[in-house]
Amino acid sequence: MSFSRQSAGLVGSLFVSACCLGAGPILAALAATLGFSAFHSILNIYVLGPLMTLSVLWMAWNLGVQGRALRGAAYRYRPFWVGLVGGSLAWVGVLLPHVVMGTRAAGTTLIIIGMPLLIGASVWSLIDQRRSRHAAFGGH
């Protein structure tokens, strides 16, 4: 498992969570500066939605690969399940307000619950990876 590949997923997740949980005004200002203020809501769903989807899929895949490497199968690896649940919650939280009107508060709650789970699972996996490398080299 490549540390840099797994780290890229973590960075992508942090970027998307920042956009979901407070960078909206920054995106609006950027869009207004570029003359695209009318496209702010379109930017949210058509840019952040796919970015969120790709980040969650990338991290879940990386956690699955890590689980196969450390436990022989992804379903035996707890960080995989924590990341999958957290990513799914956050993904639904991002898309829900765009699909069902009046669900912005529920979507925000799902993001607030899901993103720490997803990020925590990735950090947990990175720690497991370091421990396994450390043990493979005889504890040195």
Side-chain angles (χ1 to χ4, degrees), residues 15-39:
F15 169 76
V16 172
S17 65
C19 290
C20 294
L21 295 175
I26 295 169
L27 288 175
L30 180 62
T33 302
L34 298 173
F36 296 115
S37 59
F39 300 108

Side-chain angles (χ1 to χ4, degrees), residues 1-2 5-6 58-83 121-122 124-126 128-129 132:
M1 183 70 188
S2 167
R5 184 174 66 196
Q6 196 167 0
W58 179 262
M59 289 183 73
W61 180 74
N62 277 326
L63 288 168
V65 168
Q66 184 77 7
R68 283 188 296 277
L70 293 176
R71 302 288 186 266
Y75 70 86
R76 292 187 206 140
Y77 191 54
R78 282 185 280 171
F80 171 73
W81 290 108
V82 172
S122 185
W124 183 2
S125 181
L126 288 170
D128 282 352
Q129 183 180 8
S132 69

